[in-house]
């Protein structure tokens, strides 16, 4: 009956298997960039040109606000204009671009950076997860594997607007590989995120994604949503994943045997006992039962309840004397 395996080796047989994905957790500090308004650019530019520091009254006057009496220009201090000027300054301060009091105004680190980048930033904390295979080893060639291509996406969670800025030099530069992996596999790529800190958490997540596997030329093909995934197919056939590939080949060979239209014996399942779903296989109409079938199933340590319920009555009758105490009669 082993010839069945050869005869049907060319059949298009595939299996669906769950693949475990480990999700490593990280806590992060990150920024989102926002465009500078025209008035913000103007005020920051003036302060920057004045070596990053301006007297309150001087800057207000330069910008045309009546923040102090000026007899030469016939200007009297106007409380309403002072309040309006302060509203502009407060807006810059809330964006972490300046510090000020009623005496002076100074650019912050982020104010200088805003002039350089032509952007301002809002500051957040949050958690991210980075996916990796649980039992498939990727080579350096696939260090930036796209898990989204096999149905796994990650997202930012526990997001909090901190309403305060941090000192960039106090933070350790995040691992660029982690940054790239998150951006590669994130759910929403339209949200521009700049990571300043990524630190590991102790928690690990574990999820499953279902992939289809077939075999050709003694190699495993990986299929997702009816499309061949060439990169993962290449990786799973490399030496570090030999055991995984052989396991998949075994399951494909078993399915090829039991789902063919050809008859097969229980003894033909010898090579597959570690991976067989006996409840399913013993219901196949193309099994050829004989008096040795029961002894083989016992040898394969199949549950006697299954043996009793799935074996043909004629076979039970022929072998009952040797197994009368083992058959499940309920």
């Amino acid at each position: 009956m082993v010839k069945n395996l050869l005869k049907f080796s060319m059949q298009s047989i595939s299996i669906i298997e769950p693949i475990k994905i480990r999700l490593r957790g990280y806590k992060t500090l990150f920024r989102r960039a926002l465009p500078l308004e025209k008035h913000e650019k103007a005020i920051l530019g003036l302060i920057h040109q004045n070596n990053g520091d301006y007297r309150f009254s001087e800057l207000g006057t330069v910008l045309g606000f009546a923040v102090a009496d000026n007899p030469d220009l016939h200007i009297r201090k106007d409380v309403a204009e002072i309040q309006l000027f302060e509203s502009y300054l407060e807006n810059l301060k809330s964006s972490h671009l300046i510090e000020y009091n009623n005496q002076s105004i100074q650019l912050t680190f982020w104010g200088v950076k805003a002039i350089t980048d032509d952007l301002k930033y809002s500051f957040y904390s949050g958690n991210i997860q980075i996916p990796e295979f649980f039992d498939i080893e990727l080579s350096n060639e696939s260090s930036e594997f796209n898990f989204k291509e096999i149905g796994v996406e990650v997202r930012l969670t526990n997001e909090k607007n901190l309403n305060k800025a941090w000192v960039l030099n106090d933070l350790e530069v995040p691992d660029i590989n982690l940054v790239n992996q998150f951006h590669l596999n994130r759910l929403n790529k339209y949200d521009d995120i700049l990571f300043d800190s990524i630190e590991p958490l102790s928690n690990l997540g574990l999820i499953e994604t279902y992939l289809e596997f077939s075999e050709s030329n003694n190699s495993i093909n990986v299929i997702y949503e009816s499309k061949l995934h060439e990169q993962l197919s290449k990786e799973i056939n490399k030496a570090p994943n030999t055991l995984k590939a052989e396991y998949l080949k075994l399951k494909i060979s078993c399915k090829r045997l039991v789902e063919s239209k050809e008859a097969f014996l229980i003894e033909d399942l010898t090579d597959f006992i570690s991976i067989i779903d006996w409840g399913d296989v013993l219901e196949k109409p193309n099994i050829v039962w004989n008096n040795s079938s029961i002894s083989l199933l016992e040898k394969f340590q199949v549950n006697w309840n299954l043996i009793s319920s799935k074996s043909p009555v004629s076979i039970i009758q022929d072998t009952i004397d040797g197994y009368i105490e083992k058959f499940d009669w309920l």
Side-chain angles (χ1 to χ4, degrees):
M1 287 292 178
V2 176
K3 65 182 181 181
N4 290 337
L5 292 177
L6 299 176
K7 186 171 182 178
F8 290 91
S9 62
M10 298 305 293
Q11 280 186 262
S12 178
I13 296 292
S14 66
I15 58 173
I16 305 294
E17 284 286 300
I19 297 298
K20 292 181 180 179
I21 307 293
R22 183 189 289 117
L23 298 174
R24 293 194 179 276
Y26 296 85
K27 61 180 180 179
T28 71
L29 295 176
F30 64 94
R31 291 175 277 138
R32 288 191 174 96
L34 299 167
L36 288 172
E37 302 290 340
K38 288 183 178 180
H39 69 273
E40 293 174 324
K41 291 182 184 181
I43 297 174
L44 292 175
L46 286 171
I47 302 172
H48 188 255
Q49 290 171 12
N50 206 50
N51 297 318
D53 194 333
Y54 234 120
R55 290 185 60 78
F56 181 93
S57 59
E58 289 180 359
L59 181 60
T61 300
V62 169
L63 291 170
F65 294 99
V67 295
D69 291 330
N70 190 332
D72 294 338
L73 297 176
H74 306 289
I75 293 175
R76 298 180 61 182
K77 182 167 67 172
D78 188 319
V79 173
E81 292 206 15
I82 292 174
Q83 291 175 339
L84 180 58
F85 177 49
E86 286 183 335
S87 72
Y88 282 106
L89 296 182
E90 194 61 33
N91 175 64
L92 293 171
K93 182 179 179 180
S94 67
S95 296
H96 319 291
L97 303 175
I98 65 167
E99 291 292 342
Y100 81 97
N101 55 39
N102 60 4
Q103 297 295 318
S104 64
I105 305 163
Q106 299 88 30
L107 283 181
T108 64
F109 166 85
W110 294 106
V112 175
K113 189 168 178 59
I115 294 171
T116 303
D117 298 350
D118 199 26
L119 294 167
K120 60 184 177 180
Y121 299 95
S122 51
F123 298 82
Y124 303 84
S125 65
N127 295 345
I128 61 172
Q129 292 179 316
I130 305 297
E132 59 184 39
F133 285 107
F134 182 78
D135 59 355
I136 297 175
E137 187 174 335
L138 297 179
S139 65
N140 291 335
E141 185 181 348
S142 294
S143 60
E144 294 189 357
F145 183 83
N146 190 341
F147 285 86
K148 288 182 73 172
E149 293 179 355
I150 57 170
V152 177
E153 294 180 316
V154 295
R155 65 190 70 202
L156 189 65
T157 59
N158 298 330
E159 179 182 331
K160 293 181 181 177
N161 190 332
L162 299 181
N163 294 316
K164 64 179 181 178
W166 44 76
V167 179
L168 199 56
N169 290 339
D170 289 348
L171 302 176
E172 184 177 344
V173 177
D175 184 338
I176 189 63
N177 292 323
L178 295 178
V179 173
N180 290 342
Q181 271 295 309
F182 176 75
H183 285 306
L184 186 65
N185 296 293
R186 60 188 292 208
L187 179 64
N188 181 8
K189 287 196 173 183
Y190 302 102
D191 181 13
D192 193 16
I193 295 174
L194 302 169
F195 288 103
D196 288 330
S197 174
I198 298 179
E199 297 181 3
L201 294 169
S202 59
N203 62 308
L204 289 174
L206 195 64
I207 61 172
E208 289 183 341
T209 187
Y210 285 82
L211 301 179
E212 184 177 355
F213 300 92
S214 64
E215 182 182 5
S216 63
N217 299 321
N218 202 35
S219 293
I220 291 295
N221 297 319
V222 183
I223 302 158
Y224 182 72
E225 293 187 339
S226 303
K227 295 180 181 179
L228 176 68
H229 196 292
E230 294 184 3
Q231 184 183 18
L232 190 52
S233 297
K234 184 177 180 181
E235 290 294 328
I236 209 165
N237 287 292
K238 290 182 179 179
N241 299 308
T242 299
L243 289 179
K244 184 72 174 180
E246 292 303 317
Y247 165 80
L248 293 169
K249 290 175 187 176
L250 195 65
K251 292 207 75 171
I252 292 169
S253 296
C254 181
K255 183 176 181 180
R256 182 180 294 119
L257 172 65
V258 301
E259 293 195 359
S260 71
K261 295 181 180 180
E262 292 292 309
F264 65 92
L265 298 169
I266 296 295
E267 65 190 57
D268 292 328
L269 302 173
T270 302
D271 291 338
F272 311 119
I273 57 174
S274 63
I275 51 99
I276 282 181
D277 177 354
W278 289 104
D280 177 59
V281 169
L282 293 181
E283 290 184 344
K284 298 297 180 183
N286 48 331
I287 296 180
V288 176
W289 293 83
N290 57 36
N291 289 347
S292 66
S293 299
I294 302 299
S295 63
L296 283 170
L297 291 174
E298 181 184 35
K299 179 182 176 181
F300 296 158
Q301 298 183 338
V302 179
N303 182 283
W304 273 99
N305 178 271
L306 274 178
I307 297 175
S308 304
S309 61
K310 305 298 182 183
S311 301
V313 174
S314 59
I315 297 298
I316 293 176
Q317 291 173 336
D318 290 344
T319 58
I320 192 169
D321 290 341
Y323 302 101
I324 192 167
E325 305 242 343
K326 295 184 178 180
F327 280 116
D328 186 346
W329 302 106
L330 296 179

